[in-house]
Amino acid sequence: MGTIAAISTALGEGGIAIVRLSGKKALEIANRHFKKPNGKPMGDQDHRVLQYGHFYEGDLLLDEVLCVFMKAPHTYTREDMVEIHCHGGIKVVTRVLSTVLRSGARPAEPGEFTKRAFLNGRLDLTQAEAVIDVIKSHSEKGVELSLRQLQGRLTEAVMDLREKLLSLFAFIQADIDYPEEDIERINEKEIRSIAEDLIVNIDELLSSYDKGKLLREGIKTVILGKPNVGKSSLLNRLLREERAIVTDIPGTTRDTIEAYIQVHGITLRLLDTAGIRETGDIVEKIGVQRARDEVQEADLLLAVFDRSEPWTDEDESVLEEALNRKSIILWNKSDKVAANWSDELLNRMQGNLIVETALVEDRGVEALEDAILELFFQSEPVEHETPLLNNIRHRRLVETAKDHVVELLEGVNMGVTMDCLEVDIRGAYDALGGILGDSVGEDVLEEVFSRFCLGK
Ligand SMILES: Nc1nc2c(ncn2[C@@H]2O[C@H](COP(=O)(O)OP(=O)(O)OP(=O)(O)O)[C@@H](O)[C@H]2O)c(=O)[nH]1
Ligand SMILES: [Mg+2]
């Protein structure tokens, strides 16, 4: 593998920019252009120590820089690495880069530093992919998730599953090796129980994907209610900004208004909608239909009611939506005298989380935020959760593994021969191996690493 180089910081005007080199000749190439104040090049003794000096292109001084040499194998790529920290203008950095390229380094492909880390055994594939997710992640919790994966939580879980599959091999091997012995019945029982166990564990992993997806992409949250209950007020309060128009005229909001907010580090994609009612106004009608459509794809519904007004059919249709999905009920305008709602109605609401708010006074917003955290994460800090699957490629592989285990179980129940079972065990084992980067082809590696940006 040759020595590669790239600009590792975002291009643009900045305080500093970093050119990174990795490979056998990293130090040699850097030293051709870098001089410490005493005129000496960097050497082994400078390992991991930031060096002040000057960077030359031939005799021409390009920039005053800080340089660091990191000796293999204690580096990100496990190869010798050099980082040149220069001043942030685009011109300077690109000249520093082109200088090292002319001296024998080759431009790195996107993700190539991380690819080398993987190929040199520094990271497994889940960790390499987590690096991309950290770079691309939108929400704080999403970053936390990727960081945790970087620390190998998913790897651990997958290795655990693979170990169970290996133990199945042992049973089957025993059977194939000693076909005469009367151990078949015991083995069948064992195989069945291990397979069932595996399915439970795999399902846990799969369900964590959905949670992970929410963290990365944001929880799609639709605010629904009849006109004038305070939906737009709610959006504004959560945003802490007067984004949506609020008036006392029912039917103020006619189109959907969208905003991203952070609640306890979770991202919500928040949608304020037109108030639900029958209307002859064609524009409003479209808005109402849109509101109903959005609800169908919502991860969370915030159903808003005016607690000071008598219950209406429109409220009833909103409540029905709320009872059918993950939702929080808001009793707004609790600063006013409460209207008489029937016991039957109150009972029907009881199964749901209910938050009383007075949005004009900004009351109840924090309680609502807590309720959202509770609904999605049982108020637990995310550390205590099971390992999360958060990548579509991983999910596909886990699903494939599950299909094989299900087949296996069916095979056992139908009494097929042991060597037939082996095929599915191997299939499941290999699918899971694809997550760790065992037995993956060059095409998968290309796919994974091409998602990276340059210089990582
Ligand atoms: N007293 C009281 N008034 C409120 C409260 N929340 C909102 N309002 C008022 O209710 C009126 C309607 O508020 P909006 O937020 O526009 O209601 P909306 O649900 O978006 O209404 P549409 O867009 O017409 O569907 C405004 O005059 C608000 O100031 C509250 O908690 N108490
Ligand atoms: Mg509104």
Side-chain angles (χ1 to χ4, degrees):
M1 279 192 279
T3 298
I4 52 173
I7 299 169
S8 286
T9 40
L11 277 183
E13 292 301 320
I16 55 165
I18 298 175
V19 171
R20 191 139 84 138
L21 287 150
S22 178
K24 275 214 171 59
K25 292 193 163 164
L27 183 62
E28 185 193 319
I29 292 172
N31 272 337
R32 267 184 230 163
H33 306 283
F34 174 74
K35 298 271 176 305
K36 295 201 259 185
N38 61 10
K40 290 200 173 140
M42 288 186 291
D44 274 6
Q45 78 286 353
D46 294 326
H47 171 54
R48 286 195 182 164
V49 183
L50 208 55
Q51 304 289 323
Y52 169 81
H54 294 91
F55 194 90
Y56 296 89
E57 182 186 6
D59 291 332
L60 181 70
L61 174 62
L62 279 189
D63 198 8
E64 192 180 27
V65 298
L66 289 171
C67 232
V68 61
F69 165 55
M70 290 162 285
K71 200 172 160 50
H74 303 291
T75 69
Y76 183 63
T77 55
R78 293 220 164 141
E79 302 173 331
D80 280 354
M81 291 186 81
V82 170
E83 282 181 6
I84 305 160
H85 299 223
C86 44
H87 292 102
I90 295 174
K91 272 219 178 92
V92 178
V93 210
T94 43
R95 275 190 80 172
V96 169
L97 177 65
S98 61
T99 305
V100 296
L101 293 180
R102 254 180 273 126
S103 290
R106 153 173 93 60
E109 288 157 20
E112 197 170 359
F113 289 96
T114 306
K115 187 176 184 177
R116 287 185 175 201
F118 165 71
L119 292 173
N120 294 327
R122 158 82 166 64
L123 299 174
D124 69 33
L125 204 53
T126 67
Q127 293 170 321
E129 285 170 295
V131 173
I132 319 177
D133 291 335
V134 171
I135 296 171
K136 302 210 161 158
S137 197
H138 281 300
S139 75
E140 270 172 55
K141 280 270 190 282
V143 172
E144 193 178 312
L145 206 68
S146 304
L147 285 175
R148 235 157 4 100
Q149 192 164 317
L150 209 51
Q151 288 156 7
R153 297 276 311 269
L154 177 62
T155 305
E156 237 169 69
V158 168
M159 297 216 311
D160 216 49
L161 293 177
R162 286 184 109 201
E163 236 158 69
K164 286 192 178 134
L165 285 163
L166 276 183
S167 68
L168 282 177
F169 262 128
F171 282 111
I172 284 177
Q173 222 48 54
D175 194 86
I176 292 171
D177 291 349
Y178 307 101
E180 311 299 308
E181 315 276 326
D182 189 19
I183 50 178
E184 195 168 349
R185 292 214 54 79
I186 308 168
N187 281 358
E188 266 182 32
K189 219 172 112 200
E190 291 289 346
I191 292 170
R192 197 176 290 128
S193 109
I194 295 176
E196 280 164 357
D197 217 38
L198 270 167
I199 290 175
V200 171
N201 293 339
I202 288 175
D203 281 342
E204 271 169 21
L205 209 54
L206 286 174
S207 77
S208 72
Y209 178 84
D210 298 328
K211 206 179 259 182
K213 183 163 173 283
L214 290 181
L215 286 179
R216 281 190 315 284
E217 293 172 11
I219 296 170
K220 179 171 177 182
T221 307
V222 174
I223 304 173
L224 199 69
K226 74 178 175 193
N228 218 38
V229 291
K231 298 179 297 299
S232 300
S233 306
L234 176 62
L235 177 95
N236 291 345
R237 292 303 185 190
L238 285 169
L239 258 179
R240 292 169 175 89
E241 178 191 320
E242 302 303 311
R243 170 78 61 89
I245 300 170
V246 169
T247 74
D248 55 4
I249 305 163
T252 299
T253 308
R254 292 165 153 229
D255 203 354
T256 308
I257 299 174
E258 188 176 331
Y260 281 85
I261 59 162
Q262 294 272 327
V263 171
H264 296 300
I266 314 164
T267 304
L268 300 196
R269 193 179 141 219
L270 198 58
L271 293 129
D272 175 25
T273 62
I276 296 292
R277 67 170 168 186
E278 289 294 329
T279 167
D281 183 307
I282 184 136
V283 178
E284 193 180 347
K285 214 184 184 115
I286 296 170
V288 170
Q289 188 51 46
R290 207 166 268 185
R292 291 202 178 276
D293 293 345
E294 295 290 3
V295 171
Q296 303 314 314
E297 292 159 17
D299 301 311
L300 171 64
L301 176 61
L302 300 177
V304 187
F305 303 100
D306 184 338
R307 188 66 189 84
S308 70
E309 289 283 323
W311 192 253
T312 66
D313 290 348
E314 291 146 347
D315 288 318
E316 185 60 36
S317 81
V318 173
L319 181 62
E320 262 160 38
E321 294 288 359
L323 296 178
N324 273 328
R325 68 192 74 243
K326 207 161 196 163
S327 60
I328 297 173
I329 290 174
L330 272 82
W331 289 353
N332 191 33
K333 307 202 185 181
S334 61
D335 52 309
K336 301 214 270 188
V337 180
N340 249 333
W341 286 358
S342 72
D343 288 342
E344 186 264 344
L345 170 61
L346 295 173
N347 274 336
R348 274 163 61 217
M349 290 187 181
Q350 281 317 317
N352 267 64
L353 277 169
I354 299 174
V355 178
E356 288 191 47
T357 55
L359 294 170
V360 270
E361 297 169 0
D362 206 9
R363 257 201 300 121
V365 177
E366 277 169 26
L368 173 62
E369 291 175 337
D370 293 345
I372 292 171
L373 184 69
E374 181 178 337
L375 198 58
F376 282 88
F377 296 96
Q378 286 74 48
S379 305
E380 274 179 59
V382 174
E383 295 81 87
H384 301 307
E385 286 182 12
T386 47
L388 297 174
L389 197 63
N390 69 355
N391 173 298
I392 185 80
R393 193 182 70 84
H394 297 165
R395 183 192 157 119
R396 269 201 317 263
L397 289 167
V398 173
E399 278 169 348
T400 306
K402 181 177 171 180
D403 290 346
H404 281 296
V405 179
V406 169
E407 288 271 308
L408 170 81
L409 200 57
E410 277 169 11
V412 175
N413 289 337
M414 280 164 29
V416 304
T417 60
M418 289 290 167
D419 37 346
C420 286
L421 299 180
E422 200 180 328
V423 175
D424 279 313
I425 297 177
R426 197 177 289 282
Y429 190 82
D430 285 348
L432 293 171
I435 295 177
L436 304 179
D438 287 7
S439 72
V440 292
E442 190 57 30
D443 47 335
V444 175
L445 291 185
E446 288 298 319
E447 182 198 319
V448 168
F449 289 103
S450 64
R451 288 178 58 211
F452 277 83
C453 39
L454 217 56
K456 189 63 206 176

